[in-house]
Amino acid sequence: MSTAITEGIQVSVKTQFRPDLSELGMNRYFFNYRVEMVNHNSYSVQLLNRDWFIFDSLEASSYVTGEGVVGEQPILKPGQRFSYISGCELNSEIGSMHGFYTFKNLKSGELLQVNIPLFHLFYPGKLN
């Protein structure tokens, strides 16, 4: 598990290779990642946007941006947690992801850039 705390918001990511969604003979490797975020601040925050940098060892790196996560822009009160599961398909056995979320401090209106820690995506057969 990879974890980072930025601007009082903790982000942890855990990955899982999905053989049922992958097609190894066609170089399609699918991974799920579970993100959990915790608001350690004394004020509420809202997740507005996500920005991802995706590295695939056989492809050019890509950048993905968009509103919210899995169709939501959750509000986290002090001490509250939010988690979601999403996925990524690679054309190689090895990759990684990292990025940042943009949150809004609902007390001051300030925008906060919160790091998503680097996490690796490895096909388990490659590790043997």
Side-chain angles (χ1 to χ4, degrees):
M1 180 179 293
S2 298
T3 300
I5 299 176
T6 315
E7 300 283 356
I9 300 170
Q10 178 179 321
V11 177
S12 300
V13 184
K14 186 175 182 179
T15 63
Q16 177 186 15
F17 174 68
R18 294 290 305 270
D20 57 319
L21 299 176
S22 299
E23 296 182 48
L24 306 185
M26 298 183 70
N27 292 327
R28 294 178 63 193
Y29 300 85
F30 195 87
F31 301 85
N32 278 134
Y33 54 89
R34 181 180 188 277
V35 177
E36 181 178 81
M37 49 193 79
V38 183
N39 181 10
H40 293 290
N41 293 298
S42 61
Y43 50 83
S44 295
V45 296
Q46 182 174 18
L47 189 153
L48 301 178
N49 298 300
R50 70 187 183 287
D51 290 82
W52 287 106
F53 300 94
I54 304 167
F55 170 75
D56 183 333
S57 64
L58 294 179
E59 300 289 326
S61 294
S62 60
Y63 170 73
V64 177
T65 188
E67 289 187 356
V69 291
V70 295
E72 298 185 51
Q73 290 182 307
I75 293 174
L76 283 79
K77 295 178 181 176
Q80 191 172 14
R81 298 173 182 270
F82 176 80
S83 64
Y84 71 95
I85 296 173
S86 192
C88 177
E89 183 178 308
L90 300 179
N91 293 316
S92 71
E93 302 165 322
I94 300 171
S96 64
M97 294 176 65
H98 72 281
F100 62 90
Y101 297 118
T102 301
F103 280 85
K104 182 177 185 177
N105 175 331
L106 295 180
K107 184 175 182 180
S108 70
E110 176 187 9
L111 295 181
L112 310 171
Q113 185 172 305
V114 174
N115 293 327
I116 303 167
L118 176 73
F119 57 94
H120 298 284
L121 304 167
F122 292 121
Y123 164 59
K126 189 68 171 177
L127 298 178
N128 293 331

